[in-house]
Amino acid sequence: MKEMFKTYYKSGELDAEFIRFTVLHMPAFGLTPLDFEDITGQPWKQETQPAV
């Protein structure tokens, strides 16, 4: 699955935000933050939750 996302990212079909969304909200695809970094070459920025 990671190789497919990497191919689509390199061809411009997917952007980094879509891959980030997939990692966060679609666990069935099995992508991890490390996969995000490998696919995009960008660091994974941990989203912080606002204090309640």
Side-chain angles (χ1 to χ4, degrees):
M1 188 62 69
K2 180 173 104 173
E3 292 303 318
M4 181 184 78
F5 274 85
K6 193 177 218 176
T7 301
Y8 283 131
Y9 178 77
K10 286 184 177 184
S11 71
E13 295 291 322
L14 299 177
D15 62 359
E17 283 305 311
F18 181 81
I19 297 171
R20 178 181 301 279
F21 179 86
T22 303
V23 170
L24 291 172
H25 303 290
M26 299 178 181
F29 283 102
L31 295 176
T32 67
L34 290 176
D35 293 332
F36 173 85
E37 291 179 352
D38 184 44
I39 293 168
T40 65
Q42 300 175 14
W44 178 261
K45 297 178 190 138
Q46 187 69 8
E47 294 180 9
T48 56
Q49 297 295 327
V52 180

